[in-house]
Structures are given as structure tokens and as C-alpha cells.
Amino acid sequence: GGGVGGGDGDHARPRGGARRLGTLKRERVTVRRDRVLADADVLMRHHARHKSVLEVLFTDEEGFGGAVTKEFYNKAAEALQLRSENTATMMWVPDEDGDEGPEHLWQTRGLFPHPLPRGSPESELARRRFRFIGRLVGKALLDGHILPLPLNPAFVRVAILRETLTEEDLPAVYDDRCAGGAVARWLRGAVLDVRRHRECERRVFKVGSSGDCADDEDDASGALRMGLGDEDEAADAAAVDTHLEQLSYLSYACPVSRVPLTAEIFEGDADDENDSPATRAARRLARRVDAGEHEVHVGNVEQYLADVVRYWFADGVAAQVEGFREGLSEIFPVDALKAFGAEEITELVCGKDAIEWTREELRRSVLPGFQYTAESPPYLWLIDLLVDMPDDERRGFLEFVAVCPRLPPGGLAALPRGPIRVNRMDPVDKLPEGRTCSQELRLPAYGSKEELARKLRLALQWRNHLGIQ
């Protein structure tokens, strides 16, 4: 409640003349669980500039309070990772599974915006979605919640810290699990070989080797091979020959979306007013490639890599970055986060990526409760199982008892509701139950560690069907 004689948000003046603030004003809203993303978008548009604490309920469900609000952020983050959502609104760089993969995207490095042609309808749609994500991130952070959306720290560097990503940052975003990652790795290798060979060429010419550098592809290949005497240089020459052959399969376009990277193609006359700009440009590029133009070759591969980097990390994500900043700035100034590094900001917003804990940490943060002691066999067996759990089961356990599939900064000890309590429950043939409002695990006194492991695993497996209690 509020201060003396007042409700929420009222002020009171206690003895001594000092002014004491009442509790923060809260706004309670209802969203539909099966339309959580659409409702969250409307909610954030109307609530973003409010300073009151947001409390969310789900339609036709009785639960309310902090645990349900946490689940709202969990479900919103989960929906933003749906493969179907990413197809409808191109938000994130696809993973290697394409449209036919599992229900959710999975990037080992985290989510990074899908590059899109500036000014295209797809880009404007993504801009609006990232404005919503910015609002969601800001509101979760302001109200002390975690949004378990696995953002790539590289996105934080671009969107919040205003850093410029370079060729050296490609592996941090586009790894082999990521669409375009294998091409990016190979392309960097090709450019590295070309640069190394150019240095070899300079060394050869410097000591007086004969021959002139030619501009066209065939002469360039021959020049690079001239005078290479030792085994390393011979190997480099062979690598260039291999890359020359493979480069002939590339057109001057984005390796992920096939959007042309040459402005004159993209700005050409429209073929069909019903097509998007990207579709028209891709069609024009295909015609020019068929005619032998706009291919990637040893003479332009370095510039091609530079253009890919600029499209992936700057031009192609500019609208998304600006949309995110616009949404976040409706909650608080974006520059307020500049005191932190990218990894720190990612952890503050999204929680820890890996679920890490030790036996000692578990003994301090998972405590015996009703009818259990620190020496009760079921409690000790539980600690053993938690120590040995793989990461996905650890996430499941945290969601089961605390609605928090990612750890907040500070780990287990920083769970907002304090330690997890393990209380005894009867009868012994029941599955364990999670009470998220009280951050409690209700655990029957099973007769063996094996039985406990089997039934706990079953409870975690079916947690999404048993409901939040």
C-alpha cells in the first residue's frame, strides 16, 4: 500500500518533516496468450511513455503479479524468435535451417538484424518491428525484468554504443551456423590469399624480377604466380587459382538475400510496379550476370567483401538500428547505457546466456524448506542432479520454479525473489511442482535418486502443458 492515509502513488509526510514517497503507481493490463506479440506491440505503443510499473495478466487466467509479468516478457521473447515470425517480418539473420527448420531460430552467436535494402517495404516493416523491440527492451530494463531474447552483443555495439563493425567482426555474427556464414568465412580466406599474393608480388618485383602487372583477371593470376620460389608462395599461388575458379560462381550481390550491391542496378527502371525494389533489382542483376557483367573476380573481390560488410553491418541494418533506438529512447535516453560495455548491456537486458552454477552456489541459493533439512536425502539428490544437468535442462528448471530461463546478472544469488525453496510435498507418487510466485519447488520424498531424476525430468519436459502455479 501507499503512505499514511494514501493509496498507490500518494505522498505522505512522516514525522520530522521529511517527505516519503508512496509505492510506485502500477498499471495492470491484460494480454492474450495466443496473440502475445500483437498485444505486446499495442501495449508498448500506449504504455512506453508512462512511468508507472507495468503488471501483465493473461486473458481468462487467474494468476497475477511479478511472476506472470515475467512470463509475459518470456513469451514475447519466445515469439520474436519464431521461424514463422521471421519469415513474415524479416527481423533476424536466418540460421542454416532456412524456412524448414525447427519452430524457433537458433543462432550460436545470438540474434542480429537481417540486412534489407534501404527504403524497401521489407525494411520499413522491420523498422517498425525493431521500434517495438526497443520499447520492450527499455520497459523490461526499467521495471527490473529480464527479456530473454538472445541478442548478439554485436547488435548492441551498433544500436546502443554506435560502434562501426568491420570485416574483423564477421565471425562474431556470421558463423557457420548462420545463413551466409560459410560464404563469409570462405570470402575472407580468398581476400586474405589475394592480399598475401599481392605482397609476394611486391617482394618479387622489388628484387628485380621481370614482368608487368596486368589489370585483367587472367594477367593478374599470372602476375601473382611470377617468381614465387618457396613452398609457401607456391601454395599461395595454387590457392589463388582455386579461388579464381570459385569466384566465378559469385555475382555482385548479398550472399544471404541475393540483393544486388551495385547502386546503378538497384536504382534502375522498374520492371513491374507490383514487385518490391529488391525483386526488381535481383532480376536486373541476373540479366547482367548472364551477359557477363557484375561478376566477382580477383580484381574486385576485396571491394566486394567491403561492400558485403557495409551492407550487412551498416546500410542494410540502418533502418532496424534507428527503429530500435527510437523505441528505446521513448523509455529512457539511449546514451544512459553508454557507461557499460556491449557484453554488460546484453547481460543486463537479456540475462546470462549460459546457465552456470556450482555446488556451493546451489547450496546457497536453493535452500531446504518445509520438512527438509540440509542433510535430507531428496534435497542432496536434487543438488547432485542440478550440478550435472545440461544447459537446456537448467533453463527448464529455472523457468519451472522462477519463470526465468536465463540468469540475471549476478547469477543464482541475484534472482529477484531471493533463494529457491525446496518444500516437501505428499503423496510420493506425484510429480514435482513449481510455484513461481513464491519461487518454490514442491518435491515429494522419493525413495531413490533415480526416481527423483526420472520424475523431475518428466515434470520439466511437460512444464509448458502443466501451467504456471
Side-chain angles (χ1 to χ4, degrees):
V4 177
D8 286 358
D10 289 345
H11 297 84
R13 189 181 296 276
R15 277 180 266 179
R19 172 166 291 186
R20 181 165 61 86
L21 293 177
T23 57
L24 285 172
K25 181 181 177 182
R26 293 178 178 270
E27 269 190 71
R28 184 174 290 180
V29 297
T30 303
V31 300
R32 295 165 293 179
R33 187 181 286 272
D34 59 346
R35 296 290 306 278
V36 65
L37 210 54
D39 287 1
D41 193 1
V42 174
L43 171 61
M44 288 299 151
R45 283 205 303 271
H46 290 89
H47 187 86
R49 299 184 188 277
H50 296 189
K51 299 305 179 186
S52 52
V53 175
L54 183 63
E55 188 173 299
V56 179
L57 293 75
F58 288 103
T59 304
D60 298 327
E61 297 184 25
E62 295 181 359
F64 66 91
V68 180
T69 304
K70 283 183 190 178
E71 190 185 3
F72 160 72
Y73 284 109
N74 292 349
K75 295 304 179 186
E78 183 179 303
L80 286 168
Q81 299 172 70
L82 287 171
R83 198 171 298 273
S84 56
E85 279 292 332
N86 204 50
T87 300
T89 302
M90 288 183 280
M91 295 178 285
W92 313 114
V93 175
D95 58 27
E96 64 179 0
D97 297 320
D99 294 336
E100 304 302 322
E103 185 179 14
H104 295 91
L105 294 175
W106 176 247
Q107 298 284 17
T108 53
R109 303 285 185 174
L111 300 171
F112 192 86
H114 190 305
L116 298 166
R118 299 184 74 168
S120 67
E122 297 90 344
S123 177
E124 290 307 307
L125 190 61
R127 183 192 188 103
R128 291 196 292 272
R129 175 56 60 86
F130 273 86
R131 188 182 295 122
F132 158 63
I133 294 173
R135 292 170 178 145
L136 195 65
V137 164
K139 191 58 187 172
L141 194 57
L142 192 65
D143 287 356
H145 294 290
I146 285 175
L147 180 71
L149 185 67
L151 295 174
N152 191 309
F155 173 63
V156 173
R157 289 173 56 196
V158 174
I160 295 178
L161 302 180
R162 286 300 205 185
E163 295 182 12
T164 300
L165 301 185
T166 69
E167 175 188 329
E168 300 301 318
D169 297 302
L170 281 172
V173 179
Y174 286 86
D175 63 4
D176 285 355
R177 170 74 187 158
C178 189
V183 174
R185 176 169 50 82
W186 173 83
L187 191 58
R188 288 192 73 209
V191 169
L192 185 62
D193 284 335
V194 168
R195 289 168 178 165
R196 188 164 56 240
H197 284 73
R198 186 164 58 233
E199 181 59 30
C200 291
E201 181 187 36
R202 289 195 186 100
R203 289 204 311 270
V204 169
F205 289 162
K206 187 174 182 180
V207 297
S209 296
S210 60
D212 296 323
C213 288
D215 291 331
D216 61 51
E217 181 179 327
D218 292 337
D219 289 344
S221 174
L224 289 173
R225 290 194 296 269
M226 286 182 58
L228 301 177
D230 61 38
E231 293 182 3
D232 290 339
E233 291 173 337
D236 287 345
V240 167
D241 282 340
T242 301
H243 287 139
L244 284 172
E245 180 180 352
Q246 293 173 329
L247 284 171
S248 64
Y249 294 102
L250 284 177
S251 58
Y252 214 93
C254 168
V256 175
S257 62
R258 309 306 304 154
V259 169
L261 300 178
T262 47
E264 70 273 12
I265 291 181
F266 201 83
E267 296 170 358
D269 296 332
D271 295 325
D272 187 339
E273 61 182 10
N274 295 321
D275 288 335
S276 71
T279 300
R280 294 196 298 268
R283 189 181 295 120
R284 285 191 290 275
L285 176 65
R287 287 201 296 266
R288 296 202 183 190
V289 169
D290 288 342
E293 305 175 25
H294 293 286
E295 293 178 342
V296 180
H297 51 76
V298 73
N300 67 4
V301 66
E302 288 182 271
Q303 184 59 48
Y304 173 64
L305 177 60
D307 288 342
V308 167
V309 169
R310 185 172 63 250
Y311 183 65
W312 281 357
F313 289 158
D315 295 351
V317 299
Q320 298 92 308
V321 166
E322 288 308 310
F324 179 86
R325 288 180 63 87
E326 290 165 5
L328 185 58
S329 65
E330 291 180 18
I331 311 297
F332 54 77
V334 180
D335 288 349
L337 293 172
K338 283 193 171 181
F340 302 96
E343 298 284 350
E344 292 174 306
I345 295 172
T346 306
E347 188 174 316
L348 281 170
V349 172
C350 310
K352 283 189 175 181
D353 191 24
I355 306 297
E356 299 175 349
W357 54 45
T358 64
R359 184 179 301 276
E360 291 70 26
E361 289 173 328
L362 288 167
R363 293 295 294 263
R364 289 194 297 268
S365 301
V366 181
L367 304 180
F370 177 71
Q371 292 190 348
Y372 281 137
T373 70
E375 302 304 319
S376 298
Y379 170 74
L380 294 175
W381 295 336
L382 174 67
I383 297 297
D384 289 341
L385 293 174
L386 292 173
V387 168
D388 295 331
M389 269 184 179
D391 193 73
D392 59 337
E393 289 187 9
R394 292 183 178 191
R395 291 180 190 277
F397 176 79
L398 285 174
E399 187 170 18
F400 189 57
V401 297
V403 201
C404 187
R406 296 165 72 97
L407 284 175
L412 272 175
L415 286 173
R417 294 180 178 272
I420 297 168
R421 296 283 176 176
V422 183
N423 296 329
R424 181 168 174 172
M425 179 184 72
D426 293 315
V428 76
D429 58 349
K430 292 190 68 174
L431 292 178
E433 293 179 1
R435 298 278 197 236
T436 56
C437 290
S438 55
Q439 211 158 272
E440 167 193 353
L441 177 67
R442 303 188 69 188
L443 186 69
Y446 298 119
S448 69
K449 181 177 177 180
E450 291 72 20
E451 183 183 11
L452 192 158
R454 184 175 67 254
K455 291 189 174 179
L456 178 61
R457 191 170 292 113
L458 199 59
L460 298 183
Q461 180 182 347
W462 291 95
R463 67 186 182 276
N464 291 327
H465 303 278
L466 298 175
I468 296 292
Q469 300 180 359

